[in-house]
Coordinates of all heavy atoms in Angstrom, one line a residue:
S3 N 4.1 10.3 -1.8 CA 4.7 10.2 -3.1 C 4.2 9.1 -3.9 O 4.1 9.2 -5.1 CB 6.2 10.0 -2.9 OG 6.6 8.8 -2.3
I4 N 3.7 8.0 -3.2 CA 3.1 6.9 -4.0 C 1.8 7.3 -4.7 O 1.5 7.0 -5.8 CB 2.8 5.7 -3.1 CG1 4.1 5.1 -2.6 CG2 1.9 4.6 -3.7 CD1 4.0 3.9 -1.6
I5 N 1.0 8.1 -4.0 CA -0.3 8.6 -4.5 C 0.0 9.5 -5.7 O -0.7 9.4 -6.8 CB -1.1 9.4 -3.4 CG1 -1.5 8.4 -2.4 CG2 -2.2 10.2 -4.1 CD1 -2.1 9.1 -1.1
A6 N 1.0 10.3 -5.7 CA 1.4 11.2 -6.8 C 2.0 10.4 -8.0 O 1.7 10.7 -9.1 CB 2.4 12.2 -6.4
K7 N 2.7 9.3 -7.7 CA 3.3 8.5 -8.7 C 2.3 7.7 -9.5 O 2.5 7.4 -10.6 CB 4.3 7.6 -8.1 CG 5.1 6.8 -9.1 CD 6.2 6.0 -8.4 CE 7.1 5.3 -9.4 NZ 8.2 4.6 -8.7
F8 N 1.2 7.3 -8.8 CA 0.1 6.5 -9.4 C -1.2 7.1 -9.4 O -2.1 6.7 -8.6 CB 0.1 5.1 -8.7 CG 1.4 4.3 -8.8 CD1 2.2 4.3 -7.6 CD2 1.7 3.6 -9.9 CE1 3.4 3.5 -7.7 CE2 2.9 2.9 -9.9 CZ 3.7 2.9 -8.8
P9 N -1.4 8.2 -10.2 CA -2.7 8.9 -10.2 C -3.9 8.0 -10.5 O -5.0 8.3 -10.2 CB -2.5 10.0 -11.2 CG -1.4 9.6 -12.0 CD -0.5 8.7 -11.2
E10 N -3.7 6.9 -11.3 CA -4.8 6.1 -11.7 C -5.4 5.3 -10.5 O -6.5 4.8 -10.6 CB -4.3 5.1 -12.7 CG -3.1 4.2 -12.4 CD -1.8 4.8 -12.8 OE1 -1.5 5.9 -12.4 OE2 -1.1 4.1 -13.5
L11 N -4.8 5.4 -9.3 CA -5.4 4.8 -8.1 C -6.5 5.7 -7.6 O -7.4 5.2 -6.8 CB -4.3 4.7 -7.0 CG -3.2 3.8 -7.1 CD1 -2.2 3.9 -6.0 CD2 -3.7 2.3 -7.3
K12 N -6.5 7.0 -8.0 CA -7.5 7.9 -7.5 C -7.6 7.9 -6.0 O -8.6 7.7 -5.4 CB -8.9 7.6 -8.1 CG -8.9 7.7 -9.6 CD -10.3 7.3 -10.2 CE -10.2 7.3 -11.7 NZ -11.3 6.7 -12.3
A13 N -6.4 8.0 -5.4 CA -6.2 7.7 -3.9 C -6.0 8.9 -3.1 O -5.7 10.0 -3.6 CB -5.1 6.8 -3.8
E14 N -6.2 8.7 -1.8 CA -5.9 9.8 -0.8 C -5.2 9.1 0.4 O -5.5 7.9 0.7 CB -7.1 10.5 -0.4 CG -8.1 9.7 0.4 CD -9.3 10.5 0.8 OE1 -9.7 11.5 0.2 OE2 -10.0 10.0 1.8
A15 N -4.4 9.9 1.1 CA -3.6 9.4 2.3 C -4.6 9.4 3.5 O -5.4 10.4 3.6 CB -2.4 10.2 2.5
R16 N -4.4 8.4 4.3 CA -5.1 8.4 5.6 C -4.2 7.9 6.7 O -3.3 7.2 6.4 CB -6.3 7.5 5.5 CG -7.4 8.0 4.6 CD -8.7 7.3 4.8 NE -9.6 7.7 3.8 CZ -10.7 7.0 3.4 NH1 -10.9 5.8 4.0 NH2 -11.5 7.5 2.5
G17 N -4.5 8.3 7.9 CA -3.7 7.7 9.0 C -3.1 8.7 10.0 O -3.2 9.9 9.8
R18 N -2.4 8.1 11.0 CA -1.7 8.9 12.0 C -0.4 8.2 12.4 O -0.4 7.0 12.5 CB -2.5 9.1 13.3 CG -3.7 9.9 13.1 CD -4.3 10.3 14.5 NE -5.3 11.3 14.3 CZ -6.6 11.1 14.8 NH1 -6.8 10.0 15.4 NH2 -7.5 12.0 14.5
G19 N 0.6 8.9 12.6 CA 1.9 8.3 13.0 C 2.3 7.3 12.0 O 2.3 7.4 10.8
L20 N 2.7 6.1 12.5 CA 3.1 5.0 11.7 C 1.9 4.2 11.1 O 2.1 3.4 10.2 CB 4.0 4.0 12.4 CG 5.5 4.5 12.7 CD1 6.2 3.5 13.5 CD2 6.2 4.8 11.4
M21 N 0.7 4.5 11.6 CA -0.4 3.8 11.1 C -0.9 4.7 9.9 O -1.5 5.7 10.0 CB -1.6 3.8 12.1 CG -1.3 2.9 13.3 SD -2.7 2.7 14.4 CE -3.0 4.4 14.8
Q22 N -0.6 4.2 8.7 CA -0.8 4.9 7.5 C -1.6 4.1 6.5 O -1.5 2.8 6.5 CB 0.5 5.5 6.8 CG 1.2 6.5 7.7 CD 0.4 7.8 7.7 OE1 -0.1 8.3 6.7 NE2 0.3 8.3 8.9
G23 N -2.3 4.7 5.6 CA -3.0 4.0 4.5 C -3.2 4.8 3.3 O -3.1 6.0 3.3
I24 N -3.5 4.1 2.2 CA -3.8 4.7 1.0 C -5.3 4.3 0.6 O -5.5 3.1 0.4 CB -2.9 4.3 -0.1 CG1 -1.4 4.7 0.2 CG2 -3.3 4.9 -1.5 CD1 -0.4 4.2 -0.8
A25 N -6.2 5.2 0.6 CA -7.6 4.9 0.3 C -7.7 4.9 -1.3 O -7.5 6.0 -1.9 CB -8.5 5.9 0.9
V26 N -7.9 3.8 -1.8 CA -8.0 3.6 -3.3 C -9.4 3.7 -3.7 O -10.3 2.9 -3.2 CB -7.3 2.2 -3.7 CG1 -7.4 2.0 -5.2 CG2 -5.9 2.2 -3.2
Q27 N -9.7 4.5 -4.7 CA -11.1 4.7 -5.1 C -11.5 3.8 -6.3 O -12.5 4.1 -7.0 CB -11.3 6.2 -5.5 CG -11.1 7.1 -4.3 CD -11.8 6.8 -3.1 OE1 -13.0 6.5 -3.1 NE2 -11.2 6.8 -1.9
V28 N -10.7 2.8 -6.6 CA -11.0 1.9 -7.7 C -11.4 0.5 -7.0 O -10.6 -0.1 -6.3 CB -9.8 1.7 -8.6 CG1 -10.2 0.7 -9.8 CG2 -9.4 3.0 -9.2
D29 N -12.7 0.1 -7.2 CA -13.2 -1.1 -6.6 C -12.3 -2.3 -6.8 O -11.9 -2.7 -7.9 CB -14.6 -1.5 -7.1 CG -15.6 -0.5 -6.6 OD1 -15.4 0.2 -5.6 OD2 -16.7 -0.5 -7.2
G30 N -11.9 -3.0 -5.6 CA -11.2 -4.2 -5.7 C -9.7 -4.1 -5.8 O -8.9 -5.0 -5.6
L31 N -9.2 -2.9 -6.1 CA -7.8 -2.7 -6.4 C -6.9 -2.8 -5.1 O -5.8 -3.4 -5.2 CB -7.6 -1.4 -7.0 CG -6.3 -1.2 -7.8 CD1 -6.1 -2.2 -8.9 CD2 -6.2 0.2 -8.5
A32 N -7.4 -2.3 -4.0 CA -6.7 -2.4 -2.7 C -6.4 -3.9 -2.4 O -5.3 -4.2 -2.0 CB -7.4 -1.7 -1.6
G33 N -7.3 -4.8 -2.5 CA -7.1 -6.2 -2.3 C -6.1 -6.8 -3.2 O -5.3 -7.6 -2.8
E34 N -6.2 -6.4 -4.5 CA -5.2 -7.0 -5.4 C -3.8 -6.5 -5.1 O -2.8 -7.3 -5.2 CB -5.5 -6.5 -6.8 CG -6.8 -7.2 -7.4 CD -7.1 -6.7 -8.8 OE1 -6.1 -6.6 -9.6 OE2 -8.2 -6.4 -9.1
I35 N -3.6 -5.2 -4.7 CA -2.3 -4.7 -4.3 C -1.8 -5.4 -3.0 O -0.6 -5.8 -3.0 CB -2.4 -3.2 -4.0 CG1 -2.7 -2.4 -5.3 CG2 -1.2 -2.7 -3.3 CD1 -3.1 -1.0 -5.2
C36 N -2.7 -5.7 -2.0 CA -2.2 -6.4 -0.8 C -1.8 -7.8 -1.1 O -0.8 -8.3 -0.6 CB -3.4 -6.3 0.2 SG -3.6 -4.7 0.9
A37 N -2.5 -8.5 -2.0 CA -2.2 -9.8 -2.4 C -0.8 -9.9 -3.1 O 0.0 -10.7 -2.8 CB -3.3 -10.4 -3.3
E38 N -0.6 -8.9 -4.0 CA 0.7 -8.9 -4.7 C 1.8 -8.6 -3.8 O 2.9 -9.2 -3.9 CB 0.6 -7.8 -5.9 CG 1.8 -7.7 -6.7 CD 2.2 -8.9 -7.5 OE1 1.2 -9.6 -8.0 OE2 3.3 -9.2 -7.8
A39 N 1.6 -7.7 -2.9 CA 2.6 -7.3 -1.9 C 3.0 -8.5 -1.0 O 4.1 -8.8 -0.7 CB 2.2 -6.1 -1.0
F40 N 1.9 -9.3 -0.6 CA 2.1 -10.5 0.2 C 3.0 -11.5 -0.6 O 3.9 -12.1 0.0 CB 0.8 -11.1 0.6 CG 0.9 -12.3 1.5 CD1 1.2 -12.1 2.9 CD2 0.9 -13.6 1.0 CE1 1.3 -13.2 3.7 CE2 1.0 -14.6 1.9 CZ 1.2 -14.4 3.2
D41 N 2.7 -11.7 -1.8 CA 3.5 -12.6 -2.7 C 5.0 -12.2 -2.7 O 5.8 -13.0 -2.9 CB 2.9 -12.7 -4.1 CG 1.6 -13.4 -4.2 OD1 1.2 -14.1 -3.2 OD2 0.9 -13.3 -5.2
R42 N 5.2 -10.9 -2.5 CA 6.6 -10.4 -2.6 C 7.2 -10.3 -1.2 O 8.3 -9.7 -1.0 CB 6.6 -9.0 -3.2 CG 6.2 -9.0 -4.7 CD 5.9 -7.6 -5.2 NE 5.5 -7.7 -6.6 CZ 6.3 -7.3 -7.6 NH1 7.5 -6.9 -7.4 NH2 5.9 -7.4 -8.9
G43 N 6.5 -10.7 -0.1 CA 7.1 -10.7 1.2 C 6.7 -9.6 2.1 O 7.2 -9.5 3.2
L44 N 5.7 -8.8 1.7 CA 5.3 -7.6 2.5 C 3.9 -7.9 3.0 O 3.0 -8.1 2.2 CB 5.4 -6.3 1.7 CG 4.9 -5.1 2.5 CD1 5.9 -4.7 3.6 CD2 4.8 -3.9 1.5
I45 N 3.6 -7.8 4.3 CA 2.3 -7.9 4.8 C 1.7 -6.6 5.0 O 2.1 -5.8 5.8 CB 2.3 -8.7 6.2 CG1 2.9 -10.1 6.0 CG2 0.9 -8.8 6.8 CD1 3.2 -10.8 7.3
V46 N 0.7 -6.3 4.2 CA -0.2 -5.1 4.3 C -1.6 -5.7 4.1 O -1.8 -6.8 3.6 CB 0.1 -4.0 3.2 CG1 1.4 -3.3 3.5 CG2 0.1 -4.6 1.8
E47 N -2.5 -5.0 4.7 CA -3.9 -5.5 4.6 C -4.9 -4.4 4.2 O -4.5 -3.2 4.2 CB -4.3 -6.1 6.0 CG -4.3 -5.1 7.1 CD -4.7 -5.7 8.4 OE1 -4.8 -6.9 8.5 OE2 -4.8 -5.0 9.4
T48 N -6.1 -4.8 3.9 CA -7.1 -3.8 3.6 C -7.9 -3.4 4.8 O -7.9 -4.2 5.8 CB -8.1 -4.3 2.5 OG1 -8.7 -5.5 3.0 CG2 -7.4 -4.6 1.2
S49 N -8.4 -2.3 4.8 CA -9.3 -1.8 5.8 C -10.3 -0.9 5.2 O -10.3 -0.6 4.0 CB -8.6 -1.2 7.0 OG -8.0 0.0 6.6
G50 N -11.2 -0.3 6.0 CA -12.3 0.5 5.5 C -13.5 -0.2 5.3 O -13.5 -1.5 5.2
P51 N -14.7 0.5 5.2 CA -16.0 -0.2 5.1 C -16.1 -1.1 3.8 O -16.9 -2.0 3.8 CB -17.0 0.9 5.1 CG -16.2 2.2 4.9 CD -14.8 1.9 5.3
S52 N -15.4 -0.7 2.8 CA -15.4 -1.5 1.5 C -14.0 -2.1 1.2 O -13.8 -2.4 0.0 CB -15.9 -0.6 0.4 OG -17.1 -0.1 0.6
D53 N -13.2 -2.3 2.2 CA -11.8 -2.8 2.0 C -11.1 -2.0 0.9 O -10.3 -2.5 0.1 CB -11.9 -4.3 1.6 CG -12.2 -5.2 2.8 OD1 -12.0 -4.8 3.9 OD2 -12.8 -6.3 2.5
E54 N -11.3 -0.7 1.0 CA -10.7 0.2 0.0 C -9.3 0.8 0.4 O -8.7 1.5 -0.4 CB -11.7 1.3 -0.4 CG -11.8 2.4 0.6 CD -12.7 2.1 1.8 OE1 -13.2 1.0 2.0 OE2 -12.9 3.1 2.6
V55 N -8.9 0.5 1.6 CA -7.7 1.2 2.1 C -6.6 0.1 2.2 O -6.8 -1.0 2.8 CB -7.9 1.8 3.5 CG1 -6.6 2.4 4.0 CG2 -9.0 2.8 3.4
V56 N -5.4 0.4 1.6 CA -4.2 -0.4 1.8 C -3.6 0.1 3.1 O -3.1 1.3 3.1 CB -3.2 -0.3 0.6 CG1 -2.0 -1.1 0.9 CG2 -3.9 -0.7 -0.7
K57 N -3.6 -0.7 4.1 CA -3.1 -0.2 5.4 C -1.7 -0.7 5.8 O -1.5 -1.9 5.6 CB -4.1 -0.7 6.5 CG -3.8 -0.3 7.9 CD -4.9 -0.6 8.9 CE -4.9 -2.1 9.1 NZ -5.9 -2.5 10.1
F58 N -0.9 0.1 6.3 CA 0.5 -0.3 6.7 C 0.5 0.0 8.2 O 0.1 1.0 8.7 CB 1.6 0.5 6.1 CG 1.3 1.2 4.8 CD1 1.2 2.6 4.8 CD2 1.1 0.5 3.7 CE1 1.0 3.2 3.6 CE2 0.8 1.1 2.5 CZ 0.8 2.5 2.4
L59 N 1.0 -1.0 9.0 CA 1.2 -0.9 10.4 C 2.5 -1.5 10.8 O 2.5 -2.6 11.3 CB 0.0 -1.6 11.1 CG -0.1 -1.4 12.6 CD1 -0.2 0.1 13.0 CD2 -1.4 -2.1 13.1
P60 N 3.6 -0.8 10.5 CA 4.9 -1.4 10.8 C 5.2 -1.4 12.3 O 4.6 -0.7 13.1 CB 5.9 -0.4 10.1 CG 5.2 0.9 10.1 CD 3.7 0.5 9.9
P61 N 6.1 -2.3 12.7 CA 6.5 -2.3 14.1 C 7.1 -0.9 14.5 O 7.7 -0.2 13.7 CB 7.6 -3.4 14.2 CG 7.8 -3.8 12.8 CD 6.9 -3.2 11.9
L62 N 6.9 -0.6 15.8 CA 7.4 0.7 16.3 C 9.0 0.8 16.2 O 9.5 1.8 16.2 CB 6.9 0.9 17.7 CG 5.4 1.2 17.8 CD1 5.1 1.3 19.3 CD2 5.0 2.4 17.1
V63 N 9.6 -0.4 16.2 CA 11.1 -0.4 16.2 C 11.7 -0.6 14.8 O 12.9 -0.8 14.7 CB 11.6 -1.6 17.1 CG1 11.2 -1.3 18.6 CG2 11.1 -2.9 16.7
I64 N 10.9 -0.4 13.8 CA 11.4 -0.5 12.4 C 12.4 0.5 12.1 O 12.3 1.7 12.6 CB 10.2 -0.5 11.4 CG1 10.7 -1.0 10.0 CG2 9.7 0.9 11.3 CD1 9.6 -1.3 9.1
D65 N 13.5 0.2 11.4 CA 14.5 1.1 11.0 C 14.2 1.7 9.6 O 13.3 1.3 8.9 CB 15.9 0.5 11.1 CG 16.1 -0.7 10.2 OD1 15.2 -1.0 9.3 OD2 17.1 -1.4 10.4
E66 N 15.0 2.7 9.3 CA 14.8 3.3 8.0 C 15.0 2.4 6.8 O 14.3 2.5 5.8 CB 15.9 4.5 7.9 CG 15.5 5.5 6.8 CD 16.3 6.7 6.9 OE1 16.7 7.2 8.0 OE2 16.7 7.3 5.8
E67 N 15.9 1.4 6.9 CA 16.1 0.4 5.9 C 14.9 -0.4 5.7 O 14.5 -0.7 4.6 CB 17.3 -0.4 6.2 CG 17.6 -1.5 5.1 CD 18.8 -2.4 5.5 OE1 19.5 -2.1 6.5 OE2 18.9 -3.4 4.9
G68 N 14.3 -0.8 6.8 CA 13.0 -1.6 6.7 C 11.9 -0.8 6.0 O 11.2 -1.4 5.2
I69 N 11.7 0.4 6.4 CA 10.7 1.2 5.8 C 10.9 1.4 4.3 O 10.0 1.2 3.5 CB 10.6 2.6 6.5 CG1 10.1 2.6 7.9 CG2 9.8 3.6 5.6 CD1 8.6 2.4 8.0
S70 N 12.2 1.7 3.9 CA 12.5 1.8 2.5 C 12.3 0.6 1.7 O 11.7 0.6 0.6 CB 14.0 2.2 2.4 OG 14.4 2.4 1.1
K71 N 12.6 -0.6 2.3 CA 12.4 -1.9 1.6 C 10.9 -2.1 1.4 O 10.5 -2.5 0.4 CB 13.1 -3.0 2.4 CG 12.9 -4.3 1.7 CD 13.6 -5.4 2.5 CE 13.5 -6.8 1.8 NZ 14.1 -7.8 2.6
G72 N 10.1 -1.9 2.5 CA 8.7 -2.0 2.4 C 8.0 -1.1 1.4 O 7.2 -1.6 0.6
M73 N 8.4 0.1 1.3 CA 7.9 1.0 0.4 C 8.2 0.6 -1.1 O 7.4 0.8 -2.0 CB 8.3 2.5 0.6 CG 7.7 3.1 1.9 SD 5.9 3.2 1.9 CE 5.5 1.8 2.9
T74 N 9.4 0.1 -1.3 CA 9.8 -0.3 -2.6 C 9.0 -1.5 -3.0 O 8.5 -1.6 -4.2 CB 11.3 -0.7 -2.6 OG1 12.1 0.4 -2.3 CG2 11.7 -1.3 -4.0
I75 N 8.8 -2.5 -2.1 CA 7.9 -3.6 -2.4 C 6.5 -3.1 -2.7 O 5.9 -3.6 -3.7 CB 7.9 -4.6 -1.3 CG1 9.3 -5.3 -1.1 CG2 6.8 -5.7 -1.5 CD1 9.4 -6.1 0.1
L76 N 6.0 -2.2 -1.9 CA 4.6 -1.7 -2.2 C 4.5 -1.0 -3.5 O 3.6 -1.3 -4.3 CB 4.2 -0.7 -1.1 CG 2.8 -0.2 -1.2 CD1 1.8 -1.3 -1.1 CD2 2.5 0.9 -0.1
E77 N 5.5 -0.2 -3.9 CA 5.4 0.5 -5.2 C 5.5 -0.5 -6.3 O 4.8 -0.4 -7.3 CB 6.6 1.5 -5.3 CG 6.3 2.8 -4.5 CD 7.4 3.9 -4.9 OE1 7.8 3.9 -6.0 OE2 7.7 4.6 -3.9
D78 N 6.4 -1.5 -6.2 CA 6.5 -2.5 -7.2 C 5.2 -3.3 -7.3 O 4.8 -3.7 -8.5 CB 7.7 -3.5 -6.9 CG 9.0 -2.8 -7.0 OD1 9.1 -1.7 -7.6 OD2 10.0 -3.4 -6.5
S79 N 4.5 -3.6 -6.2 CA 3.3 -4.3 -6.2 C 2.2 -3.5 -6.9 O 1.4 -4.0 -7.7 CB 2.8 -4.6 -4.8 OG 3.8 -5.4 -4.2
I80 N 2.1 -2.2 -6.6 CA 1.1 -1.3 -7.3 C 1.4 -1.3 -8.8 O 0.4 -1.5 -9.6 CB 1.2 0.1 -6.7 CG1 0.7 0.0 -5.2 CG2 0.3 1.0 -7.5 CD1 0.9 1.3 -4.5
A81 N 2.6 -1.1 -9.2 CA 2.9 -1.1 -10.6 C 2.5 -2.4 -11.3 O 2.0 -2.3 -12.4 CB 4.4 -0.8 -10.8
Q82 N 2.8 -3.5 -10.7 CA 2.4 -4.8 -11.2 C 0.9 -4.9 -11.4 O 0.4 -5.3 -12.5 CB 3.0 -5.9 -10.4 CG 2.6 -7.3 -10.9 CD 3.2 -7.7 -12.2 OE1 4.3 -7.2 -12.6 NE2 2.5 -8.4 -13.0
V83 N 0.2 -4.6 -10.4 CA -1.3 -4.7 -10.4 C -1.9 -3.8 -11.5 O -2.7 -4.2 -12.3 CB -1.9 -4.4 -9.1 CG1 -3.4 -4.2 -9.2 CG2 -1.6 -5.5 -8.1
L84 N -1.3 -2.6 -11.6 CA -1.8 -1.6 -12.6 C -1.5 -2.0 -14.0 O -2.1 -1.6 -15.0 CB -1.3 -0.2 -12.3 CG -1.9 0.4 -11.0 CD1 -1.3 1.8 -10.8 CD2 -3.4 0.5 -11.1
S85 N -0.4 -2.8 -14.2 CA 0.0 -3.2 -15.5 C -0.8 -4.3 -16.1 O -0.7 -4.7 -17.3 CB 1.5 -3.6 -15.5 OG 1.7 -4.8 -14.9
K86 N -1.7 -4.9 -15.3 CA -2.5 -6.1 -15.7 C -3.6 -5.6 -16.6 O -4.2 -4.6 -16.5 CB -3.0 -6.9 -14.5 CG -2.0 -7.6 -13.7 CD -2.6 -8.3 -12.6 CE -1.5 -8.9 -11.7 NZ -2.0 -9.6 -10.6

């Protein structure tokens, strides 16, 4: 749903199970998103050969509330970065 909400990312989903990522096709944007999310209290990191993937790796014991909170922080971070 994040990819559909922000088409300007030119992104695609990647991953398996709880290891998920958003491959962003705009140079440098994944790093900016991760930095903004970190400032808001969410730890996500980049991966991929050009650091183009925003990678989430939540704990296996995370509850639905934790996932929801994390996704809200991520969406807010993306919106903030794209508004610059």
